[in-house]
């Protein structure tokens, strides 16, 4: 759809893990008709995603890297730090951030931190849900029942989407 037809479509962004990070990035930068975001096991910056993106950690020559170069490299990825840009999403009406309490890839602390920051910028009328699912790891399929839809499609997620998409909160 193009033009005015496209502008009227409400959008809810969903992502898990790196996709959760992407959903939060979109929520901080692409607000045209965006009404909700659901981020499951999200990470707030590239360097906080497990051990996969830790810069200079295992480099045997790290002590010889010029601090100015480190600053330039840090600046090159700073735009992908969700927490730094979260204030841009102040108009978003529906938030859900979920994480398993046993997540070994992205520690639940990062979801808690992002939820706390979102709470400081959100208006009182905003639906903001932070849920930590007991005994679940980074990716789960069975939330409460076998084959229950798991982290991105269980009854709680479906209810969030149904409520959000019928809320009439299109801006």
């Amino acid at each position: 759809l193009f033009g005015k037809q496209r502008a009227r479509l409400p959008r809810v962004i969903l992502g898990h893990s790196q996709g959760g990070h992407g959903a939060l990035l979109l929520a901080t930068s692409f607000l045209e008709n965006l009404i909700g975001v659901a981020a499951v096991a999200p990470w707030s910056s590239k360097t906080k995603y497990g051990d996969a993106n830790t810069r200079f950690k295992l480099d045997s020559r790290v002590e010889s890297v010029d601090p100015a170069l480190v600053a330039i490299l840090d600046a090159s990825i700073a735009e992908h730090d969700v927490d730094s840009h979260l204030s841009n999403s102040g108009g978003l009406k529906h938030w859900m951030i979920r994480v398993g309490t046993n997540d070994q890839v992205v520690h639940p602390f990062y979801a808690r931190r992002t939820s706390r920051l979102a709470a400081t910028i959100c208006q009182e009328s905003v639906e903001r849900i932070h849920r930590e699912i007991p005994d679940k790891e980074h990716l789960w399929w069975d939330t409460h029942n076998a084959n229950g839809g798991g982290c991105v499609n269980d009854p709680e997620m479906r209810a969030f989407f149904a409520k959000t998409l019928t809320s009439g909160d299109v801006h």
Side-chain angles (χ1 to χ4, degrees):
L1 296 171
F2 298 99
K4 292 182 181 180
Q5 287 179 326
R6 182 173 177 255
R8 283 186 242 133
L9 294 174
R11 292 186 207 134
V12 180
I13 306 285
L14 163 68
H16 172 269
S17 191
Q18 289 186 12
H21 174 73
L24 291 172
L25 276 178
L26 287 171
T28 65
S29 60
F30 187 73
L31 295 174
E32 179 187 344
N33 292 329
L34 184 62
I35 59 173
V37 61
V40 182
W43 42 278
S44 54
S45 73
K46 192 162 185 64
T47 58
K48 295 173 185 152
Y49 182 69
D51 288 334
N53 298 301
T54 309
R55 300 171 311 39
F56 305 118
K57 182 176 180 179
L58 300 175
D59 190 338
S60 62
R61 302 285 298 161
V62 70
E63 67 280 347
S64 64
V65 177
D66 183 347
L69 176 59
V70 172
I72 290 169
L73 294 172
D74 285 344
S76 75
I77 60 173
E79 68 184 303
H80 302 290
D81 186 349
V82 170
D83 294 346
S84 297
H85 304 292
L86 210 52
S87 61
N88 294 342
S89 60
L92 201 58
K93 300 287 186 185
H94 304 274
W95 287 83
M96 176 180 277
I97 297 178
R98 291 174 35 145
V99 64
T101 59
N102 293 344
D103 195 327
Q104 299 295 308
V105 177
V106 180
H107 195 281
F109 167 81
Y110 296 114
R112 288 181 207 132
R113 180 175 182 207
T114 301
S115 288
R116 280 195 307 270
L117 288 170
T120 65
I121 58 124
C122 290
Q123 304 162 4
E124 296 245 345
S125 61
V126 170
E127 175 188 27
R128 194 176 44 78
I129 301 167
H130 174 88
R131 191 84 67 232
E132 295 188 19
I133 311 301
D135 303 319
K136 298 299 178 187
E137 294 188 13
H138 189 64
L139 180 63
W140 67 91
W141 181 249
D142 304 328
T143 303
H144 301 292
N145 305 315
N147 297 319
C151 60
V152 296
N153 196 32
D154 69 355
E156 182 179 37
M157 291 297 285
R158 290 192 299 269
F160 173 78
F161 284 113
K163 182 177 180 181
T164 300
L165 291 172
T166 58
S167 68
D169 286 329
V170 180
H171 55 261

